[in-house]
Amino acid sequence: MDIQYLRKGQELYLYLKGELDEHSVVSLRGRTDALIDENASSKRAIFNLAGVRFMDSTGIGFLMGRYKKLSRYGMGMAIEAPDRNADKILSMSGIYSLMPKI
Amino acid sequence: MNRMQLRFLSRSENEIFARNVVAAFALPLNPTLSELSDVKTAVSEAVTNCIVHAYPDDEQWIGVECETDGNKLHITVTDSGRGIADIAQALTPFYTSCPGEERSGMGFTIMQTFMNDFHLTSVPGEGTRVEMTKCFGGTAEADAR
C-alpha cells in the first residue's frame, strides 16, 4: 500500500493506493498514524480510496482504528471515492454513519 | 467441469496470491468484474481467518480447492488449526475473538453476503472448512451500474 497526503486549508487528504488486506495493513497503519500526528492541527482527515484496487474487511478495522485516533485529536473523518467493492463493504459495516462518504 | 487444488503456508503475503489464483481460475466462466471482485473478497476473508485465527502461532498449511459446475464456482478453504467452538457466535456480525486488534468481525458476514451459498464446519482442535459457491450470471450492464 502506498499513502500520500495533501494539506488543503484545515483538511488533511490521505490518498491510499494498492490492495488493502491483512498483510498490507501492517505498514500502512504506522505510516498513516505518523501523518495524522504530523497534521494534528487539521480539522478533518479525508481518506481518498480511488487508488484502492482491492479491500476486504481489514479495511473496516483500519478505518475504524484511524477514526478513534482522529477523535482523540478532535478531528473528524470522511471517505472519498471508494470503488464499488469498497463501497459495498463499507455500506454493509455501517461505517458511513461515523465517517460520511463525501 | 474443471478442478484445482492449491496448498500454501499460512503467511499473510499469501492472501493476495490465493485470491488472485482463484480469480484467474474463474475467468473461463466469464464473470462480471463485480462478481469476480466478490469472489476475491470472500476468498481473502476465508484465508485471512486461517492465518489469523486457525494458526495464530505458527505457519501451517491452508488448502483451497475449486470446482466449476456449469456457471457455478465451488470454493473450499480448509485448515487443520484451532477450530471454532461456537459457530453461531463466530457468524454473528461484528463479533471478533480478537477485540483490540482493529478487527471488524465482518469476515463471515462478507462471505455470506458476497457468495450465493456458504457453509461452515469446524471441529475444535482439528480444523475448519468453509465451502462457498458463486453463481455467475450477471450481465455486463451490471458492471456499468
Side-chain angles (χ1 to χ4, degrees):
Chain A
M1 285 294 289
D2 179 50
I3 181 165
Q4 295 192 14
Y5 79 104
L6 184 66
R7 190 81 184 260
K8 283 188 204 166
Q10 300 280 356
E11 300 195 310
L12 171 66
Y13 283 80
L14 296 161
Y15 297 88
L16 306 188
K17 194 174 162 192
E19 305 210 1
L20 181 46
D21 65 13
E22 166 67 21
H23 181 67
S24 65
V25 78
V26 180
S27 73
L28 178 69
R29 202 179 278 139
R31 285 177 289 149
T32 308
D33 285 350
L35 286 173
I36 292 171
D37 289 335
E38 287 162 21
N39 292 279
S41 59
S42 347
K43 288 265 183 286
R44 183 163 77 152
I46 295 162
F47 284 73
N48 184 296
L49 305 185
V52 178
R53 298 188 305 273
F54 175 84
M55 189 183 96
D56 61 20
S57 66
T58 307
I60 304 169
F62 168 78
L63 292 169
M64 277 305 303
R66 307 296 72 69
Y67 174 81
K68 287 178 189 161
K69 182 178 176 68
L70 289 162
S71 299
R72 287 196 288 274
Y73 281 124
M75 290 170 68
M77 180 167 166
I79 304 290
E80 190 174 71
D83 74 1
R84 186 176 33 207
N85 177 60
D87 190 50
K88 198 166 160 182
I89 290 169
L90 296 176
S91 298
M92 194 186 296
S93 71
I95 212 170
Y96 289 140
S97 60
L98 299 173
M99 48 192 92
K101 181 168 62 168
I102 57 171
Chain B
M1 181 194 283
N2 191 11
R3 298 183 73 182
M4 73 93 163
Q5 290 185 334
L6 194 62
R7 206 163 169 256
F8 53 90
L9 280 178
S10 58
R11 300 170 66 103
S12 65
E13 67 209 59
N14 286 332
E15 291 162 6
I16 189 168
F17 164 72
R19 64 179 177 259
N20 284 329
V21 168
V22 173
F25 183 77
L27 280 181
L29 299 184
N30 291 317
T32 63
L33 286 178
S34 171
E35 288 167 340
L36 205 56
S37 181
D38 288 350
V39 167
K40 284 172 72 172
T41 308
V43 169
S44 197
E45 299 293 353
V47 169
T48 299
N49 277 352
C50 299
I51 294 168
V52 174
H53 301 291
Y55 305 125
D57 304 320
D58 51 358
E59 288 174 6
Q60 293 192 53
W61 294 107
I62 297 172
V64 175
E65 285 181 45
C66 292
E67 187 179 306
T68 60
D69 170 15
N71 68 333
K72 292 182 189 143
L73 174 68
H74 302 292
I75 305 168
T76 306
V77 179
T78 52
D79 66 67
S80 308
R82 209 165 43 173
I84 302 167
D86 188 338
I87 285 182
Q89 184 184 51
L91 293 178
T92 306
F94 302 109
Y95 170 79
T96 174
S97 57
C98 305
E101 284 188 24
E102 290 194 0
R103 300 198 187 283
S104 67
M106 288 295 281
F108 283 130
T109 306
I110 286 173
M111 289 181 236
Q112 288 173 295
T113 309
F114 283 27
M115 302 295 279
N116 297 95
D117 200 32
F118 170 90
H119 192 60
L120 171 65
T121 47
S122 188
V123 179
E126 290 184 19
T128 299
R129 178 184 186 89
V130 171
E131 292 167 89
M132 314 183 273
T133 299
K134 186 71 174 176
C135 306
F136 300 120
T139 58
E141 289 88 276
D143 270 339
R145 279 203 294 270

